[in-house]
Amino acid sequence: MAGMTKVLIVDDDALVRAGLTMMLDGADGISVVAEATDGADVPGTLDAHPVDVVLMDIRMPKVNGIVATQQVRARANPPEVIVLTTFDTDDNVLKALRAGASGFLLKDAPPSRIVEAVLRVAAGDPILSPHITRRLMDQVVTSADAYTTARTALSALSPREHEVAVAIGQGKTNAEIGAELFVSVATVKAHITRILTKLSLGNRTQIALLTHDAGLS
């Protein structure tokens, strides 16, 4: 198992679990080490089977994927979460991203796309394109409370970190941000790391959502 990306599949549909397990176990560098039928089973399963990536269904009968994602990301050294959905217009996708998911996949995505997504998030790379992130954010109207909370949170950033956060919210890549601010990509990544730490966020998608709530992107 050394060097393998270990995966937990969480879905109440036995056929979906079986198909994903067969697909991922047949891919180089990936091993499905456990399955769960509901979000309620996730904490105990992770205690018994530590993994790198969780493939999480959104709609489940007892504990849904949004709540389960929050619980996963609150753990010490949490695995990455990719949520599974039938429709990419589902507003629950945005809720799952706010909860800390690294991205989402449609259940009918090509096998190669699913394998690529698992390996990428395990390596710390985002799987949501800026375009998709913007489209999801544009579906919602920010409440007054969310606006105030976001503005307060962002006030903890330095001026340069604030610029980087806003650029992320505008859908810009690290290379584009670096060119705009006349700094290296490595410097941009360092700013992002500090932003995530200061704001207690898990990934750049959550930064983008926060700047959206603050009315800055």
Side-chain angles (χ1 to χ4, degrees):
M1 295 292 291
M4 298 286 283
T5 296
K6 299 184 288 295
V7 177
L8 164 64
I9 296 173
V10 187
D11 199 297
D12 61 333
D13 188 323
L15 289 177
V16 171
R17 295 197 310 275
L20 288 170
T21 297
M22 184 180 302
M23 178 195 312
L24 293 172
D25 267 342
D28 290 339
I30 298 177
S31 176
V32 177
V33 300
E35 298 178 13
T37 60
D38 193 272
D41 303 323
V42 171
T45 304
L46 287 177
D47 288 341
H49 304 281
V51 300
D52 304 298
V53 178
V54 178
L55 285 181
M56 182 86 74
D57 188 19
I58 288 184
R59 298 176 182 273
M60 292 179 285
K62 296 179 182 177
V63 175
N64 65 40
I66 299 166
V67 173
T69 295
Q70 290 174 325
Q71 294 172 343
V72 169
R73 296 300 297 168
R75 296 172 69 92
N77 301 314
E80 300 295 334
V81 177
I82 301 173
V83 292
L84 300 168
T85 182
T86 306
F87 305 104
D88 63 357
T89 55
D90 188 344
D91 64 358
N92 283 319
V93 169
L94 194 59
K95 293 176 183 177
L97 295 175
R98 290 186 185 280
S102 295
F104 74 93
L105 288 169
L106 295 178
K107 290 188 177 182
D108 61 357
S112 59
R113 172 73 178 117
I114 296 175
V115 169
E116 177 195 17
V118 168
L119 293 175
R120 283 183 61 181
V121 299
D125 295 331
I127 62 170
L128 277 183
S129 71
H131 170 72
I132 291 175
T133 303
R134 285 298 320 166
R135 179 168 57 78
L136 288 170
M137 289 191 297
D138 288 343
Q139 292 178 19
V140 298
V141 177
T142 302
S143 69
D145 286 346
Y147 174 86
T148 301
T149 299
R151 286 276 176 164
T152 300
L154 290 170
S155 68
L157 302 180
S158 70
R160 179 46 58 93
E161 289 164 353
H162 193 276
E163 288 179 307
V164 171
V166 171
I168 290 173
Q170 292 169 343
K172 294 176 181 176
T173 65
N174 288 351
E176 290 170 338
I177 297 171
E180 181 178 282
L181 300 180
F182 303 103
V183 297
S184 68
V185 170
T187 298
V188 173
K189 290 181 178 179
H191 284 308
I192 293 172
T193 297
R194 286 194 291 271
I195 292 168
L196 293 173
T197 300
K198 283 186 176 182
L199 302 183
S200 298
L201 300 177
N203 53 54
R204 67 187 291 137
T205 300
Q206 289 182 310
I207 297 174
L209 292 169
L210 194 66
T211 63
H212 173 267
D213 287 346
L216 299 173
S217 61

